[in-house]
Amino acid sequence: MQTKTLDAATIALHADRILAKDKSVAPPIHQSVSYYFKESQEFADHAIEALNTDFYGRHGNLNAARLAEVVAQLEGAEAGMILSSGMGAITTTLLTFLSSGDHVIAQRNHYSATNSFLTGFLKRFGVEVSLVDQTSPRAFASEIMQNTKMILLETPVNPAMTITDLSAVSAIAKAASIVTVCDNTLASPINQRPLDWGIDLVVHSATKYIGGHHDLLAGTVVGSRQCIEAIWGISMDLGPIGAPFDAWLGLRGIRTLQSRMHCHNSNAMDIASQLENSSAIKSVYYPGLKTHPQHALAKKQMIGHGGMLSFEFSGGYDAAQKFIAGLNLCLNAPSLGGVDTLVVQPAAMFRARMSEKDILAQGIQPGLVRMSVGIENIKDLLQDINVSLSQA
Ligand SMILES: *Cc1c(COP(=O)(O)O)cnc(C)c1O
């Protein structure tokens, strides 16, 4: 199917149909891990075919391939693959392109597991890592060395919803022939398309907006066919391929991605604007607000500003704790990007594994609350928030 001219809403519904093996409107689940062949030669040819879906389960499966096709087309990429989690996608991608003695430049702020993979795991295997201020393209440029092989980006990054200038950093990387990878989880392919700004590879935790219903764990990476085949080759050895049932749920979820994102964007903007006027709140972090220090950049590179925001209580840790306890609709739970509104107090979450000083050094104020705004009716959400605010 020629889907280049279609809108994202339509791509999400039809892009994978070219891979279908039958005429069912909704895709079946292909749970078999093994496929049989008439002849040995046919068997042998299938065994080495990149990104194949009907040989052995660790090589791939049709549900994962169909979901990968949709994500790839939404991101404007040639190819994609589905991994068992967002971290599976990030680690497999990094392990494909980095060897001992190489250097990678990443951001000081990343998703916490990405950060510990960079500073813990990769260092054990002799990969040098420089972490820079994501808001300064020049900081990336000044860290480039002879052995720099990759620049890893993530934008926006919670909790402060800090933004990286994708076109500026990708131009710097291109001039030095360095591969760029961007974690696009918080924006979703509806709100931001990093490949349009010159980035080489995009990764997502599909557990979040792509799945969208808090019921699956998956990751995805998309980019040129050559890069994706290389990542697939490494995944054959590492074994983190996405499972058929999770991919099937992902495909069901992604059908409504655009409608959901429009609702997330609009609900989050309304909540952010309202919180900005509350006397209990010291500051609100949302890229769609004019007061966000990088609002102009957000407007330039994002199509919508997403469903994630953070806000800091003037009353500190206790006020934030009281606020969360007073909520009824908004659930105090990990993860983000689903239809239900979830809140967390990052300082409370990190207390278990970090000192108070390190938490502050990460820019996490004790009174900060992170909210993943869902698609509930906005009046009901505001009512829940306002009642709890008046008690905090
Ligand atoms: C959740 C998340 C990940 C990790 O994804 P999992 O599916 O939990 O492995 C990576 N990056 C970002 C930005 C995330 O929010």
Side-chain angles (χ1 to χ4, degrees), residues 245-324:
F245 184 57
D246 287 83
W248 180 84
L249 282 170
L251 204 47
R252 184 185 167 111
I254 207 168
R255 301 290 193 220
T256 56
L257 182 62
Q258 193 192 56
S259 316
R260 283 188 283 114
M261 290 319 302
H262 287 170
C263 190
H264 288 300
N265 292 347
S266 141
N267 279 357
M269 186 68 204
D270 285 358
I271 292 171
S273 313
Q274 154 125 14
L275 287 172
E276 225 177 9
N277 296 322
S278 162
S279 57
I281 305 298
K282 199 158 137 193
S283 33
V284 182
Y285 305 93
Y286 183 65
L289 289 177
K290 288 203 179 72
T291 50
H292 187 288
Q294 297 169 289
H295 179 62
L297 177 58
K299 260 176 82 171
K300 176 190 152 201
Q301 75 182 21
M302 299 181 81
I303 303 155
H305 297 125
M308 293 295 297
L309 61 101
S310 295
F311 42 98
E312 192 190 338
F313 279 84
S314 317
Y317 194 91
D318 293 341
Q321 217 174 19
K322 256 203 199 124
F323 170 73
I324 286 176

Side-chain angles (χ1 to χ4, degrees), residues 44-341:
D45 291 346
H46 255 78
I48 55 161
E49 190 196 328
L51 299 164
N52 66 64
T53 58
D54 46 10
F55 181 73
Y56 178 62
R58 183 161 34 77
H59 295 214
N61 63 76
L62 192 55
N63 293 108
R66 289 183 72 159
L67 177 57
E69 181 64 28
V70 178
V71 180
Q73 291 207 27
L74 288 177
E75 289 282 8
E78 228 169 53
M81 72 176 284
I82 301 300
L83 289 302
S84 56
S85 69
M87 286 319 298
I90 292 165
T91 57
T92 309
T93 300
L94 267 59
L95 291 172
T96 301
F97 296 99
L98 298 172
S99 302
S100 152
D102 288 346
H103 174 237
V104 53
I105 305 171
Q107 305 176 172
R108 230 169 261 151
N109 292 312
H110 272 289
Y111 181 72
S112 59
T114 303
N115 192 60
S116 70
F117 179 74
L118 288 166
T119 56
F121 187 95
L122 279 185
K123 283 209 170 148
R124 268 175 56 205
F125 292 88
V127 176
E128 286 182 79
V129 180
S130 300
L131 302 180
V132 303
D133 173 2
Q134 73 185 102
T135 64
S136 160
R138 257 193 286 151
F140 289 91
S142 67
E143 287 297 325
I144 292 176
M145 303 193 287
Q146 278 295 317
N147 59 341
T148 306
K149 287 285 159 56
M150 179 187 282
I151 296 182
L152 176 66
L153 307 175
E154 178 179 332
T155 181
V157 179
N158 83 76
M161 303 308 293
T162 321
I163 289 172
T164 311
D165 188 331
L166 293 173
S167 76
V169 178
S170 79
I172 290 164
K174 271 209 169 62
S177 301
I178 296 167
V179 177
T180 44
V181 180
C182 180
D183 184 335
N184 199 28
T185 301
L186 257 64
S188 90
I190 301 297
N191 282 335
Q192 181 169 271
R193 302 210 323 163
L195 267 55
D196 290 349
W197 301 104
I199 297 297
D200 297 312
L201 289 159
V202 169
V203 291
H204 282 275
S205 167
T207 313
K208 314 294 170 52
Y209 286 110
I210 288 174
H213 294 74
H214 306 298
D215 57 6
L216 69 90
L217 197 68
T220 176
V221 53
V222 303
S224 72
R225 188 154 187 100
Q226 192 187 3
C227 283
I228 299 302
E229 286 190 5
I231 295 166
W232 174 80
I234 296 300
S235 87
M236 295 270 285
D237 291 346
L238 295 177
I241 199 82
F245 184 57
D246 287 83
W248 180 84
L249 282 170
L251 204 47
R252 184 185 167 111
I254 207 168
R255 301 290 193 220
T256 56
L257 182 62
Q258 193 192 56
S259 316
R260 283 188 283 114
M261 290 319 302
H262 287 170
C263 190
H264 288 300
N265 292 347
S266 141
N267 279 357
M269 186 68 204
D270 285 358
I271 292 171
S273 313
Q274 154 125 14
L275 287 172
E276 225 177 9
N277 296 322
S278 162
S279 57
I281 305 298
K282 199 158 137 193
S283 33
V284 182
Y285 305 93
Y286 183 65
L289 289 177
K290 288 203 179 72
T291 50
H292 187 288
Q294 297 169 289
H295 179 62
L297 177 58
K299 260 176 82 171
K300 176 190 152 201
Q301 75 182 21
M302 299 181 81
I303 303 155
H305 297 125
M308 293 295 297
L309 61 101
S310 295
F311 42 98
E312 192 190 338
F313 279 84
S314 317
Y317 194 91
D318 293 341
Q321 217 174 19
K322 256 203 199 124
F323 170 73
I324 286 176
L327 294 165
N328 279 313
L329 290 177
C330 308
L331 308 172
N332 181 20
S335 200
L336 59 97
V339 288
D340 311 82
T341 299

